[in-house]
Structure formats: C-alpha cells, structure tokens
C-alpha cells in the first residue's frame, strides 16, 4: 500500500470511530426514551453505518462491509417503519456498534480476532431473526391527509442508481444491468448522472463515475427489482421508490443524501420528486420573468405553484442545501493535526518562554531602556503565541463524559438497578493530555458509584427515595484548575464501617483519632474494600488506589464529600494544563516559589502588630473576615531569618481562602512546568518546578494541597482541645 493510501486508510479508521461514537450516542438517547426527532435520529444512525460500510469497501475491508450491510438492512426496516422500534432492537444495535468498533480495531492492527468472529456470527444470527420477516406492505394514504402522508402523483417506480467506482475493474457493465432491468418492465424515463466525474487531471478511465435516475413501469415486486443489482448492492448506492410512494419517503431520501453542494432543483430531481423536464420548464419560466423584469420568483415558489404537494419535499431540500453549505464551511475551517506535532509545538513554546524570561533579565541588568521596551513587547507577543498554542490542545470533556452513558446503562441492567446519568459542564475544556489520562480514573469512580453507591429499587423506596438513582458528572473551572465531580444520591459512606474495616486490615490503630474526611480517604488504600462478596465488577479492593495514583501523577488531588443515606461526591481537582501557566513569583528566606496566578486574589502587607505579638495566632483579620495563614518558612523548614517587612499573598482554592506569609513579592511571570522526580512525589504542597530566566530553579506551590493541610491541622487541634 502506497503512502497516500495508507494515510487515507488511517483517516478512515479515525472518522469511522467518530461516526460510531455518534451512532452509539443516538441509540442511547433513544434507549432513554427520548423519541423527539425519531426519524431524524434513525436516519443519522443509518447514515453513520452506511458511511462506515461504503468507505470500508474502498479499502477492501470485507469483514466490515459484510457485517455492516446486515446492520444497515435492519436500520432500513426501522426507519421505513416496517419494523416498530423497541428495546430489543436498540440493545442489538448497541452490540453491533461495539462489534463494528472491534472490526475496525482488527483491521487497523492487521490481525484477525477469533473472538470477534464468534461475536459476529452470533450477532448476524440475531439480525437474521429480524431480517427474515417478510417486508410489510407500504400503505397508500389518502391525499386529503396531512402533508407528510400525501400521495404523490407518480405511478412508476423511481430508481436512483450510483455504481461503485471499481465496477469496470470488476468486469461489470452498467448498461447490462439496465438491459436486464427491461426484462421486468419498461423504462419510461432515464437520465445519466455524472456528478462524481472528477477534473480531467484526476480522471481514471478504469473507474466508473456513472449514476442513473430513472422511472420504471413494472408489476414486479421491490425484491425482484432489487435483485437485478445484487452484485453492486453492497458497494453501490441503490434506492428504489415504489409507485404511490409517500412524500415522507422523498423527504427521508433527501435527509440521507451526503452533505454536498447541491442546488434545490438537483436535489428534487435526484430524489425523484421532480423530473428533469419539469425542472427545465420551471427554470425557463423563471428566465422569462427575469427578461420581463416583472419580479423573478424563487424556483421553489414556481414549483409549488404548479404542485402544492411538493412543499414539504421542497422544505426538506432547502434544509439539505443549508446543511451542505455548513458542512463545506466547517470542512474548510477545520484541519486534522497529529498530536505529536502539537506536543512538539508546546515544548518549543515552553523553551521560548524560558528564553524570553532570560532576555528580560539581561535587559534589566544592562539598563538599556530601549532594549527593555523591545523585550517587553516581544514577551507580550510570546504570551499570545503561548495562549494560542495551548488553545490548540484544549478539548471539551463532554466526549469523555458521554461514553459513560453506555457504561451506566449496561451495568444498571446487569445489577437490576434503575439509574439515570446526568451530565453537566460538558463544554468545559482542558488539556488533551489530561483528558487522555483521566478516562480510566473516571471509569473506576462511575463503576464504583453504580455498584456500591446506588441502592436497589426496593432499598431506595424503603428509605423514601425515588426508585431511580442518579449519578451526576459535573465539570467546571476553579482558580486555574478544572474540577470534576462524580456524585450519586445513593447510600453514602458509613465512617464507622470504614473505620472498623481499616482496623481489621491493620491500616489504623484503635486509639488513632481521625476525622471523617481522613476516614473517607481510606477507600483509596490498596486492597481496601467493604464489599461482602467479590463480583465481576468490584470487591477485590483494586481500582480506587489506581484512581488516587493516576490523579496524583497529574498533579491533582481527590476530595470526598459524603452524607450517610444521602449520597457521595468524589471531587477531582486537576491543573488546567500540564505545560505552561501564568505564575506569581515570591521569595521566602532567600528561596523563590511560584504561585499559580489564577489562585492569587490580592497581596497585603502583614500588620506590624501581628509581627510583634501575634505570631502564635495562625490567622489575621482581613476587612472583618478571618483569614487563616500559612507560614511557608515553617511549612518547608526554612532556617534563614525572616525580613523585617513581610507580606501576605491571599490565595483561593475550592472556595476557601488563605494567606501565604512571604518576605518579598517579585511579580508575575510565565512559567514552564517541569515535573518533579519520583523521589519528591510525596512532598506536600509542591506541584512541580520551573527554570527562571536567571537559570535558578523555583518550586511551584500546590495551593489546594496547602489549604487542605491547614484545614486538617486545625481540625486535629480542635479535636485535641475537645478531648
């Protein structure tokens, strides 16, 4: 396979997965009982399957083509209402969607999976149960009924034929199909369609670019007519409309057409609602009006004046034209970029940030005002480049959240529970590298909420709750971090039970005093589980420790809020990006630290009276509010003497404010985050490091961790005071 073909195949794999994700999402919406726009959703699902199958044929991926064709056949029966949609169909189609993803994975890896082959046979057998039913008769409606059920005046079959590009190479002659078709009836009207014909420099004489639109008079059945095109049915696009078709049939065909740049008249001719002659007459009438300068009517109004029944079809054609224009516009504005190239760009921008800081420092040492101004302007532009580069890697978390709809649905059925998933903040953006690494921890938390959190329907009703439980996924920004909440309205955590289990495991002593928050954190200990029995979902104590470790590796933290019999919320706090941040440089005992600028609220001078006799009080009065203080000198065991004049940097994290006691305020800077080595992984209050323009290293403070530490210390002192 040449390089261009290999690149095209890779694009097919990526786009097919996106199509199947959309297909799964639509199926889950239908499964949840959301039947608004049912026909539109079924058409979208059909188009996704059809596109996956059609493109697979180009690359000779026969396994995908054969299986997807059967799925497509079932979808065709559902969208034509020959089969009423029910839960069995949705469950089967979801399984088929999973299998199609597996087939794509196998094709991409170049290996055949025997398990997938067995699954395919099982699903094909189930599909045959529905496809083996006889086709339902298409009802003929009364013309006096509503517009969607109005009978068109055509008394012939309408065939829309598009032959596969490799038809000639496979030894097939399109005209031979038409010749054989005439043995079943009479071709009343035929028009060749050459819309797929490329420019001359891309024309391949061995490819078939032909298509036909024709009216066919025959007493044969639809199956007999379809059998004429048996050899091209899978790779080609064959549409057959029976006599007395409903207008809704034409509308559905228009909606299923690919989003290309069509004119209104072309769409109506392609779907068979209008003949080429009728269109030409309408265009001639429009030309006469233009020459007479009598006010030119749009082509749609001219057509509907002659046949008012065309109005709903015309409206569908206008919608299709608008969607085609939007699709072309989006295609022109979007570009696929390899993730490694983006990472390289971010790394280079990071080095530029460091170099810019060094240049600014050198300019200040030289004392050249012109140089200082030039470097300042350069760093301003560099900041804009940095923001633009980081924005390229920002991805909405909604795609990650949506895939849990399937997890909740399947696990709830397995456990015989009724659970609804609520998603908030799906448009919240964060770094792509964070998105990739947060998926597995979220999966563990959602599964844990389903299995341990949500009760059975009987238990919920007994506690006065609704029979259906709710799991909530919520994402939002807070002080330069992204916060992800995984909550449930289930049984909550029992601190007494957790403490007893921890003592049984030897994790804590009986005499050890702990707050509820500290007890809740025990669920992240390796091997810790309160499950009565091991199941295929949970109970082995494996998973939650992995969650904590993965989130810590992302410089994040986990908080737990739980009320017994009311529910539990596990909160994940992560940095917005892993690359570059705006920072505020401070100095304590000749050591420099960086505070994330988004967490800084204000800076105030520490009151001299407090320095004189109030140092035993870990707080100050800030405009009538009590502000807890964090002494960084004491926190990090810095021995150098403090300066006579000290300042307080007021920071906020998780809705809680605190003050950092510092010696000097050194101003803002752009900070390239460098991860700390494994030896520093357990150091509290530090999230990373950075290289300053002078070449010195400064540690980046983890404000959330420092705030939590102060709160825990205060809670312990309060408990000791009580006892």
């Amino acid at each position: 396979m040449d390089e261009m073909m290999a690149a095209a195949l890779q694009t097919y794999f990526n786009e097919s997965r996106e199509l199947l994700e959309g297909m799964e999402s639509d199926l889950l919406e239908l499964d949840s009982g959301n039947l608004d726009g049912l026909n539109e959703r079924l058409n979208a699902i059909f188009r996704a399957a059809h596109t996956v199958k059609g493109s697979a044929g180009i690359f000779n991926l026969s396994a995908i083509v054969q299986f997807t064709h059967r799925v497509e056949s079932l979808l065709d029966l559902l969208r034509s209402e020959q089969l009423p949609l029910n839960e069995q169909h949705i469950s089967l189609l979801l399984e088929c969607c999973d299998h199609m993803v597996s087939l794509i994975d196998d094709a991409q890896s170049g290996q055949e999976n025997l398990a997938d082959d067995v699954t395919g046979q099982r699903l094909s057998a189930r599909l045959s149960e529905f496809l083996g039913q006889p086709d339902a008769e298409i009802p003929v409606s009364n013309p006096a009924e509503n517009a969607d059920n109005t009978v068109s005046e055509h008394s012939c079959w309408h065939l829309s034929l598009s032959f596969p590009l490799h038809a000639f190479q496979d030894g097939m002659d399109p005209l031979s199909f038409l010749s054989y078709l005439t043995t079943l009836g009479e071709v009343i009207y035929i028009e060749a369609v050459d819309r797929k014909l490329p420019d001359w420099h891309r024309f391949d004489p061995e490819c078939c670019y032909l298509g036909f639109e024709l009216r066919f008079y025959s007493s044969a059945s639809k199956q007999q007519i379809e059998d004429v095109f048996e050899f091209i049915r899978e790779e080609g696009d064959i549409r057959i409309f029976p006599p007395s078709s409903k207008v809704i049939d034409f509308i559905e065909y228009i909606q299923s057409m690919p989003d290309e740049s069509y004119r209104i008249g072309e769409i109506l001719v392609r779907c068979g609602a209008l003949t080429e002659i009728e269109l030409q007459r309408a265009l001639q009438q429009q030309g006469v009006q233009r020459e007479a300068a009598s006010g030119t009517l749009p082509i749609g109004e001219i057509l509907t004046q002659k046949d008012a029944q065309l109005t709903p079809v015309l409206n569908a054609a206008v919608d299709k034209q608008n969607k085609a224009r939007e699709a072309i516009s989006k295609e022109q504005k979007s570009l696929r970029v390899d993730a490694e190239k983006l990472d390289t760009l971010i790394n280079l921008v990071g080095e530029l940030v460091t170099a810019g800081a060094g240049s600014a420092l050198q300019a200040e040492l030289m004392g050249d005002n012109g140089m200082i101004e030039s470097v300042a302007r350069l760093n301003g532009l560099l900041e804009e480049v940095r923001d633009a580069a980081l924005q390229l890697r920002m991805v909405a978390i909604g795609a990650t959240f949506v895939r849990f709809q399937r997890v909740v649905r399947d696990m709830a059925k397995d456990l015989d529970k009724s659970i609804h998933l609520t998603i908030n903040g799906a448009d919240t953006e964060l770094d792509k590298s964070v998105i990739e690494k947060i998926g597995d921890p979220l999966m563990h938390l959602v599964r844990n909420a389903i299995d341990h959190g949500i009760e059975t329907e009987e238990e919920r009703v007994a506690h006065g709750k609704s029979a259906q439980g709710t799991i909530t996924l919520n994402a939002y920004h807070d002080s330069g971090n992204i916060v992800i909440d995984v909550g449930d309205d289930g049984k909550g955590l029992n601190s007494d039970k957790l403490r007893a289990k921890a003592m049984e495991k030897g994790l804590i002593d009986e005499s050890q005093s702990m707050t509820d928050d500290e007890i809740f954190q025990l669920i992240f200990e390796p091997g810790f589980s309160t499950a009565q029995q091991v199941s295929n979902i949970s109970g082995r104590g494996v998973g939650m420790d992995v969650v904590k470790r993965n989130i810590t590796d992302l410089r994040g933290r986990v908080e737990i809020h739980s009320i017994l019999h009311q529910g539990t919320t596990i909160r994940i706090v992560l940095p917005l990006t892993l690359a570059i941040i705006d920072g505020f440089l401070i100095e304590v005992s000749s050591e420099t630290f960086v505070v994330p600028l988004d967490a800084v609220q204000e800076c105030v001078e520490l009151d001299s009276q407090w320095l004189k006799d109030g140092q035993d009080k870990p707080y100050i009065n800030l405009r009538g509010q009590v502000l807890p203080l964090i002494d960084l000198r004491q926190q990090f065991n810095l021995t150098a003497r403090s300066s006579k004049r000290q300042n307080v940097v007021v920071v906020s994290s998780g809705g809680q404010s605190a003050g950092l006691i510092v010696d000097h305020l050194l101003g803002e800077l752009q900070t390239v985050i460098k991860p700390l080595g494994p030896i520093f992984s357990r150091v509290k209050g530090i999230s990373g490091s950075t290289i300053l323009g002078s070449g010195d290293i400064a540690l980046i403070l983890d404000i959330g961790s420092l705030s939590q530490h102060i709160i825990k210390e205060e809670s312990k002192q309060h408990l000791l005071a009580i006892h």
Side-chain angles (χ1 to χ4, degrees):
M1 183 180 293
D2 61 28
E3 187 175 342
M4 289 183 63
M5 197 67 172
L9 181 59
Q10 186 61 43
T11 300
Y12 164 73
F13 290 139
N14 294 335
E15 291 183 349
S16 294
R17 289 191 179 92
E18 291 176 6
L19 288 168
L20 292 174
E21 285 178 6
M23 179 177 172
E24 181 184 73
S25 178
D26 283 331
L27 286 169
L28 289 171
E29 283 293 323
L30 295 176
D31 184 64
S32 66
N34 182 9
L35 300 181
D36 293 338
L38 173 62
N39 289 333
E40 185 177 345
R41 286 193 188 278
L42 286 175
N43 282 325
I45 294 168
F46 177 85
R47 285 195 299 272
H50 182 71
T51 303
V52 170
K53 185 195 80 170
S55 300
I58 298 174
F59 301 102
N60 294 319
L61 303 176
S62 56
I64 298 175
V65 172
Q66 292 171 7
F67 180 78
T68 309
H69 177 69
R70 301 187 68 80
V71 176
E72 194 179 46
S73 299
L74 174 58
L75 288 169
D76 208 21
L77 292 176
L78 293 172
R79 70 189 190 128
S80 63
E81 299 182 6
Q82 296 182 55
L83 275 180
L85 181 69
N86 58 37
E87 187 178 350
Q88 288 183 331
H89 296 139
I90 295 174
S91 297
L92 176 57
L93 288 171
L94 282 170
E95 289 187 59
C96 290
C97 188
D98 291 342
H99 183 61
M100 290 160 69
V101 173
S102 298
L103 291 176
I104 289 171
D105 291 341
D106 292 344
Q108 188 170 19
S109 64
Q111 299 178 352
E112 293 186 3
N113 193 323
L114 295 178
D116 283 343
D117 188 42
V118 173
T119 302
Q121 292 177 5
R122 177 178 61 82
L123 293 174
S124 294
R126 292 182 60 190
L127 287 167
S128 297
E129 295 177 9
F130 298 109
L131 299 177
Q133 297 176 0
D135 290 341
E137 294 293 328
I138 300 177
V140 178
S141 305
N142 190 324
E145 293 175 357
N146 59 57
D148 282 349
N149 291 323
T150 303
V151 178
S152 68
E153 296 178 354
H154 302 287
S155 59
C156 298
W157 294 84
H158 179 85
L159 279 67
S160 177
L161 311 176
S162 179
F163 288 83
L165 284 175
H166 53 78
F168 294 156
Q169 300 169 12
D170 293 343
M172 291 183 286
D173 179 4
L175 294 181
S176 65
F177 289 92
L178 301 182
S179 177
Y180 180 65
L181 182 66
T182 57
T183 63
L184 299 179
E186 180 182 0
V187 176
I188 304 299
Y189 169 83
I190 185 169
E191 177 192 355
V193 179
D194 59 358
R195 193 170 290 104
K196 293 195 297 182
L197 193 66
D199 297 334
W200 66 269
H201 60 280
R202 292 189 292 114
F203 179 82
D204 185 349
E206 294 185 356
C207 289
C208 177
Y209 302 105
L210 279 175
F212 296 96
E213 301 286 340
L214 55 91
R215 300 287 171 80
F216 181 60
Y217 181 77
S218 174
S219 60
S221 67
K222 183 178 180 180
Q223 185 63 53
Q224 288 175 307
I225 296 174
E226 193 177 66
D227 288 344
V228 172
F229 307 98
E230 174 68 27
F231 295 109
I232 62 167
R233 187 164 50 190
E234 291 187 359
E235 290 83 3
D237 188 5
I238 312 300
R239 304 265 180 180
I240 302 173
F241 295 96
S244 301
S245 295
K246 295 183 294 184
V247 170
I248 190 65
D249 294 330
F250 296 120
I251 294 175
E252 289 183 356
Y253 178 39
I254 289 173
Q255 292 173 343
S256 67
M257 290 168 65
D259 290 335
E260 299 175 7
S261 182
Y262 296 118
R263 295 180 179 179
I264 298 295
E266 290 177 336
I267 296 174
L268 295 174
V269 170
R270 284 204 68 185
C271 77
L274 199 69
T275 66
E276 185 68 30
I277 294 175
E278 290 170 333
L279 177 61
Q280 290 299 328
R281 288 174 180 171
L283 291 172
Q284 289 173 3
Q285 181 180 341
Q286 191 181 47
V288 170
Q289 293 175 349
R290 187 178 295 112
E291 291 177 3
S294 58
T296 305
L297 290 175
I299 190 68
E301 291 190 25
I302 295 174
L303 292 171
T304 52
Q305 281 179 352
K306 294 183 177 181
D307 186 358
Q309 296 175 357
L310 272 177
T311 300
V313 183
L314 179 67
N315 292 337
V318 172
D319 290 340
K320 171 55 67 175
Q321 186 186 55
N322 292 335
K323 288 182 180 179
R325 288 172 177 168
E326 290 176 5
I328 292 173
S329 176
K330 288 179 180 178
E331 184 177 352
Q332 292 172 343
K333 293 180 180 178
S334 63
L335 178 68
R336 288 183 179 272
V337 180
D338 189 89
E340 291 184 2
K341 293 181 179 178
L342 278 181
D343 292 339
T344 301
L345 175 63
I346 297 297
N347 291 335
L348 290 175
V349 171
E351 295 302 324
L352 278 174
V353 168
T354 302
S359 299
L361 181 62
Q362 290 299 320
E364 290 181 4
L365 292 175
M366 291 173 61
D368 187 329
N369 292 333
M371 180 65 73
I372 292 173
E373 184 178 347
S374 297
V375 171
R377 187 163 59 250
L378 178 63
N379 283 338
L381 293 172
L382 184 57
E383 184 175 346
E384 294 182 18
V385 172
R386 178 208 66 175
D387 292 339
L390 288 177
Q391 196 62 37
L392 293 175
R393 257 192 1 186
M394 301 302 280
V395 180
I397 199 171
T400 302
F401 279 177
V402 166
R403 65 186 179 127
F404 292 114
Q405 291 179 331
R406 181 71 182 280
V407 176
V408 172
R409 174 192 182 274
D410 292 346
M411 285 188 62
K413 287 184 178 296
D414 291 342
L415 297 173
D416 196 23
K417 294 181 179 180
S418 178
I419 304 175
H420 173 70
L421 177 66
T422 300
I423 294 176
N424 299 317
D427 57 347
T428 305
E429 293 186 336
L430 70 162
D431 196 295
K432 180 178 181 294
S433 57
V434 179
I435 286 275
E436 292 172 347
K437 296 176 182 177
I438 198 61
D440 286 342
L442 286 178
M443 178 67 74
H444 283 298
L445 294 178
V446 170
R447 289 168 63 90
N448 212 54
I450 297 170
D451 192 24
H452 292 295
I454 302 296
E455 314 95 326
T456 62
E457 293 186 30
E458 294 78 9
E459 291 175 326
R460 292 182 64 83
V461 172
H463 283 93
K465 299 181 180 180
S466 63
Q468 185 180 59
T470 300
I471 292 177
T472 303
L473 292 175
N474 185 26
Y476 55 94
H477 289 137
D478 177 51
S479 302
N481 294 320
I482 182 170
V483 181
I484 303 173
D485 289 343
V486 181
D488 65 73
D489 62 348
K491 62 183 69 172
L493 295 176
N494 189 323
S495 57
D496 294 335
K497 184 177 179 181
L498 290 174
R499 182 181 176 86
K501 193 70 175 182
M503 291 169 56
E504 179 186 328
K505 293 274 186 180
L507 298 175
I508 60 174
D509 296 329
E510 186 175 355
S511 59
Q512 188 173 347
S513 61
M514 300 178 70
T515 64
D516 283 349
D517 289 339
E518 290 174 327
I519 294 175
F520 292 158
Q521 289 289 329
L522 292 172
I523 67 174
F524 294 113
E525 292 294 326
F528 188 89
S529 176
T530 58
Q532 299 297 322
Q533 59 183 8
V534 175
S535 69
N536 61 345
I537 296 175
S538 63
R540 300 183 185 275
V542 179
M544 296 300 281
D545 60 320
V546 177
V547 170
K548 183 72 174 287
R549 184 169 62 250
N550 288 353
I551 293 172
T552 302
D553 291 343
L554 290 171
R555 304 199 323 272
R557 66 179 188 276
V558 188
E559 303 172 6
I560 302 177
H561 307 277
S562 182
I563 300 177
L564 192 61
H565 301 309
Q566 293 187 28
T568 301
T569 297
I570 297 182
R571 177 164 296 161
I572 301 173
V573 183
L574 296 167
L576 193 60
T577 177
L578 300 179
I580 308 170
I581 62 169
D582 284 319
F584 186 74
L585 197 62
I586 60 175
E587 184 179 282
V588 180
S589 298
S590 301
E591 297 290 339
T592 51
F593 298 92
V594 176
V595 182
L597 190 59
D598 287 331
V600 177
Q601 291 184 318
E602 61 178 311
C603 299
V604 296
E605 185 177 353
L606 194 58
D607 186 85
S608 57
Q609 188 65 33
W610 187 92
L611 290 172
K612 183 179 180 181
D613 56 12
Q615 296 189 29
D616 57 333
K617 300 176 182 178
Y619 57 85
I620 61 171
N621 183 339
L622 182 64
R623 295 186 293 275
Q625 299 292 326
V626 176
L627 180 72
L629 296 177
I630 301 174
D631 190 344
L632 295 179
R633 181 177 286 97
Q634 180 181 350
Q635 180 72 28
F636 297 119
N637 295 320
L638 302 176
T639 56
R641 293 180 60 185
S642 60
S643 61
K644 294 182 179 179
R645 178 179 176 181
Q646 290 184 293
N647 302 281
V648 173
V649 179
V650 182
V651 294
S652 175
S653 177
Q656 297 174 332
S657 296
L660 305 178
I661 302 176
V662 303
D663 293 336
H664 299 102
L665 307 174
L666 304 181
E668 300 178 18
L669 80 164
Q670 295 181 55
T671 303
V672 181
I673 301 173
K674 301 291 184 181
L676 296 171
I679 193 172
F680 300 105
S681 61
R682 294 189 177 276
V683 176
K684 301 297 183 183
I686 301 296
S687 62
S689 63
T690 188
I691 300 175
L692 303 177
S694 61
D696 295 333
I697 294 176
L699 297 177
I700 301 172
L701 297 179
D702 184 351
I703 300 302
S705 176
L706 286 172
S707 299
Q708 291 295 319
H709 176 72
I710 292 299
I711 292 172
K712 288 180 181 179
E713 289 297 322
E714 289 181 353
S715 298
K716 287 181 179 179
Q717 292 178 7
H718 180 67
L719 287 174
L720 290 173
I722 293 175
H723 293 296

